[in-house]
Amino acid sequence: MILAQLIDLLRAIAAIYAALLATYFVTCLAITRLNRQACKIQRSRQTPIAQIRRDQKQSVFSLAVIAAMLGCGHWSYTILGWGLRPLPGVGGLALSFVASLVLFDAWFYWLHRLIHTRFLYRCVHRWHHLTVTPVAWSNNSDRLIDNLFLQSYWLVAHMLIPITPAVLFAHKFYDQITGVIGHSGFEHGGRWCWPPSPLVSVTHHDQHHRFFRCNYATHFTWWDRMMGTLHPDHDSELKANLFRRARRGPKQ
Ligand SMILES: [Zn+2]
Ligand SMILES: [Zn+2]
């Protein structure tokens, strides 16, 4: 009985890992191709090829850790029944998706600020910031302990909000894809991220890698705006990048 449950757990982790790896590689390759139609944010800087290789290798490891956390959360919810009962109907699915976005954004913002403090930065988060000019492959390049801080949401989400596994997976894949785009180094946004839109742009996280102590959120800009941690030039630089992108032609 216990052995069968453990096999179920390992199967769930393996399936999630395969899906996350595939999403990572496909999104990185697609966005790298689409970069040709967007505008480079740090125009005078190039990312060393050794840095890209480092980020690719580390991401393969980090995605396994995320798969383990998401898989354990899924297993404890479906097998052990640890979690809140999902909301009924299509409205409940939509509401739980939005609630998960909002909750994870708050989780990420505050823990991200915590690991930027003097005591934690060097041993937890510095690895991710060795890339000052990020590329799509940089999204999942971080240390194990960094992952335990920022990504443990996927382990406990079912205990925090009433959400079905399918909707939680949908949120994770949204997070995975937008995270890769957010590290691409090229502004891909449109009117939907025109300031003061609450949705983050690529410029938002690119500034985080350049200036370190600003723009901590992952899905929305509202925590950064409310807490005064949005970079003072965020809106003006984003508008300039969106203008440059729009001038590149109708393909975009
Ligand atoms: Zn950071
Ligand atoms: Zn980053």
Side-chain angles (χ1 to χ4, degrees):
M1 181 71 174
I2 293 175
L3 184 64
Q5 289 179 346
L6 281 176
I7 290 171
D8 278 348
L9 172 61
L10 292 176
R11 273 200 192 129
I13 292 173
I16 293 167
Y17 184 41
L20 285 176
L21 263 186
T23 306
Y24 171 73
F25 279 101
V26 169
T27 312
C28 285
L29 291 170
I31 210 69
T32 302
R33 194 173 172 82
L34 288 170
N35 282 346
R36 298 176 198 164
Q37 298 169 22
C39 74
K40 187 163 168 49
I41 296 172
Q42 298 183 45
R43 280 180 278 188
S44 59
R45 283 194 179 139
Q46 294 298 327
T47 310
I49 194 76
Q51 192 83 48
I52 297 174
R53 292 280 174 267
R54 180 204 80 132
D55 286 349
Q56 288 170 330
K57 277 185 203 159
Q58 188 68 16
S59 295
V60 171
F61 168 73
S62 291
L63 286 167
V65 177
I66 296 172
M69 288 193 279
L70 188 52
C72 286
H74 176 74
W75 181 82
S76 59
Y77 179 71
T78 53
I79 305 295
L80 305 178
W82 293 357
L84 302 171
R85 187 188 290 266
L87 299 173
V90 178
L93 295 179
L95 194 62
S96 61
F97 183 78
V98 174
S100 191
L101 289 177
V102 171
L103 185 62
F104 179 61
D105 189 62
W107 176 289
F108 193 96
Y109 176 85
W110 287 105
L111 287 172
H112 194 185
R113 281 194 72 173
L114 182 66
I115 61 176
H116 268 264
T117 56
R118 189 197 298 224
F119 295 113
L120 293 175
Y121 178 76
R122 183 164 284 274
C123 60
V124 176
H125 195 45
R126 182 169 171 268
W127 174 282
H128 185 67
H129 277 282
L130 291 175
T131 300
V132 177
T133 310
V135 293
W137 303 99
S138 311
N139 181 50
N140 295 98
S141 179
D142 37 34
R143 291 287 199 193
L144 170 65
I145 189 159
D146 195 334
N147 249 324
L148 296 180
F149 269 92
L150 297 182
Q151 302 292 326
S152 47
Y153 172 81
W154 309 108
L155 178 64
V156 298
H158 282 297
M159 296 176 211
L160 302 177
I161 50 169
I163 189 167
T164 64
V167 175
L168 190 64
F169 287 141
H171 176 195
K172 181 56 205 159
F173 287 102
Y174 171 85
D175 172 63
Q176 181 60 38
I177 292 166
T178 54
V180 164
I181 297 170
H183 283 84
S184 66
F186 286 73
E187 187 50 74
H188 289 269
R191 286 186 185 180
W192 53 266
C193 67
W194 186 267
S197 165
L199 295 171
V200 296
S201 60
V202 182
T203 302
H204 178 269
H205 196 68
D206 198 87
Q207 285 188 333
H208 180 69
H209 276 263
R210 262 179 289 155
F211 304 116
F212 301 98
R213 297 197 173 276
C214 61
N215 304 6
Y216 296 101
T218 190
H219 290 329
F220 306 107
T221 58
W222 50 50
W223 279 111
D224 282 308
R225 289 190 191 281
M226 277 191 294
M227 302 311 297
T229 52
L230 195 71
H231 190 277
D233 297 334
H234 172 269
D235 288 359
S236 57
E237 186 185 331
L238 174 56
K239 284 177 188 173
N241 288 339
L242 291 173
F243 270 129
R244 280 172 53 213
R245 173 163 159 66
R247 276 205 302 270
R248 289 180 68 93
K251 273 184 183 173
Q252 307 144 42

